[in-house]
Amino acid sequence: MAIRGIHHVAIITANYARSRDFYLHTLGFTLVSEHYRAARDSWKLNLALPDGCEIELFSFPNPPARPSRPEACGLRHLALATTSLDADIARLASLGVVCEPVRVDEYTDRRFTFLADPDGLPIELYEVPA
């Protein structure tokens, strides 16, 4: 196998406009492309992270809710690396985004917090060295 890393993560949203705004403006991802797929009545938005990984944001009519509590089998959360956890938490708070209290990973001694996207998908901000 010649796997080189994660290329993208796909997320389905219940409210395309709200999630588009959250990932572009609240989290600051970069717009790569945006397409409306009439045959599926669906939007597909490609967003880039600084490391080259992408998020594909999809809308579909009436998607089922994501089971989260108790945690369901499957993707648990999206973890984003940050070099400035405190500044990111302050920026998010200024935009009305609530973050959980900061915790410390017992195995790595790195700090992290969780927030939720507009559909309740857990997003972890994990502090890494600059």
Side-chain angles (χ1 to χ4, degrees), residues 63-110:
R66 176 187 188 274
S68 62
R69 302 272 191 285
E71 292 197 47
C73 190
L75 179 66
R76 184 174 182 186
H77 62 265
L78 175 63
L80 303 172
T82 179
T83 57
S84 187
L85 185 63
D86 294 325
D88 288 347
I89 291 170
R91 180 179 178 281
L92 290 166
S94 76
L95 296 171
V97 177
V98 176
C99 293
E100 293 181 1
V102 172
R103 294 183 266 168
V104 177
D105 186 313
E106 64 184 295
Y107 302 109
T108 66
D109 288 326
R110 305 250 185 222

Side-chain angles (χ1 to χ4, degrees), residues 19-30 50 55 78 80 88 91-92 95 97 115-118 123 125:
S19 291
R20 181 187 190 281
D21 182 67
F22 178 81
Y23 284 95
L24 279 172
H25 301 112
T26 302
L27 294 183
F29 294 177
T30 302
I55 299 290
L78 175 63
L80 303 172
D88 288 347
R91 180 179 178 281
L92 290 166
L95 296 171
V97 177
L115 58 130
D117 85 349
I123 298 176
L125 294 180

Side-chain angles (χ1 to χ4, degrees), residues 50-72:
D51 68 356
C53 187
E54 292 188 11
I55 299 290
E56 286 182 338
L57 187 66
F58 290 95
S59 71
F60 292 105
N62 304 310
R66 176 187 188 274
S68 62
R69 302 272 191 285
E71 292 197 47

